[in-house]
Amino acid sequence: MTTGPATGPAGSPGLRATRASLTPATLIAPGPGHLVLRTAGRGDFREGNALHVDDVLEADAVDRWVAAFAERLGHLAGVEHVLVRWETDVAFADAGTYAARLRAAAAERGLALDRLTVMELAGEPRALVPLTEGIDVVRAARDEQWWGVRALRISAAGGETDLSTWRTDQQRELAEHGGGAAWLAYRFGVPVAAAGVWRDGAGVAVVDDVVTHAVHRRLGIASHLVAVASRAHRQAFPDDRLLLLVEHATDAERLYARLGFAAVATVWGLTTPGSGADGRR
């Protein structure tokens, strides 16, 4: 598992969390003040073809880092996006004004500003009971369970099959080598929600790839699933920092706060618009 160093370039916890679900298919190399993530043959995998930067980007540094992305990754087959990420901690002053300034600079260049809240579970997750009966949560192990994970991700991606299948296969390999687990929620025997918990092997883990089929949303199923998966991970790896990343100031952020996750940082991104159904493909 190659996830980048725990300290040094782009070693902050939120950026480490974004790399925790990567497999050796993604090569990570240090550069001056940044890390380069490259996934050969999968230029359409945005999070696997990105720059992770140490510095807090200001508007006058946007062109520099967009040019660095083009130099390091723009020549790779299938890379038709830009993704430059960096992190600020929870004490970062006047984040709203900063976001407005960066968003304007991004828009001038045809880019978008990604703002993800990094949340951490300090203790045990609070139990949230689903608002429906017949829910069973299992750790994916058998073929048919991984097929369920794949089907849910294809649905969340608007029917995109190839990248969803590849990512599911990659994460199954990761799970089978001790890098974490995918979890499924069944409703009356049908897979209706999935989530992953992945480790960077150096003390950071991330809850990621949370998806609920559209027909079964707003029933508390994803909350229950994340609570079960988080509790299992906490029992198995009590020393890991357990994080998740969620779009800033959304219902999802408020939902995870109810589970016991608290905001600790922000991961920002300069990116080309249209990154897919989950915003992080």
Side-chain angles (χ1 to χ4, degrees), residues 70-157:
E71 179 183 353
R72 304 298 300 270
L73 294 162
H75 63 285
L76 298 180
V79 175
E80 299 177 353
H81 66 275
V82 171
L83 181 56
V84 179
R85 290 209 179 279
W86 67 99
E87 184 167 349
T88 57
D89 66 23
V90 73
F92 184 68
D94 206 3
T97 300
Y98 173 78
R101 187 165 64 246
L102 264 292
R103 189 170 289 112
E108 289 175 0
R109 295 156 176 84
L111 301 173
L113 181 69
D114 218 8
R115 184 176 179 181
L116 302 173
T117 300
V118 183
M119 306 184 76
E120 181 171 5
L121 183 66
E124 291 291 320
R126 300 188 188 108
L128 294 182
V129 179
L131 303 176
T132 183
E133 297 180 351
I135 304 300
D136 295 306
V137 173
V138 302
R139 177 173 175 160
R142 303 192 303 270
D143 285 347
E144 62 270 23
Q145 293 165 342
W146 283 104
W147 294 335
V149 172
R150 171 182 173 272
L152 286 163
R153 291 180 181 169
I154 290 172
S155 176

Side-chain angles (χ1 to χ4, degrees), residues 17-18 20-21 196-199 204-208 241-245:
T18 69
S21 66
V197 185
W198 310 106
R199 310 182 66 226
V204 164
V206 63
V207 179
D208 203 0
R241 294 186 68 178
L242 187 55
L243 307 176
L244 58 80
L245 292 90

Side-chain angles (χ1 to χ4, degrees), residues 152 155-156 192-194 210-218 221-223 225:
L152 286 163
S155 176
V192 297
V210 181
V211 56
T212 306
H213 191 279
V215 174
H216 303 274
R217 290 173 185 163
R218 301 192 179 280
I221 297 172
S223 302
L225 173 63

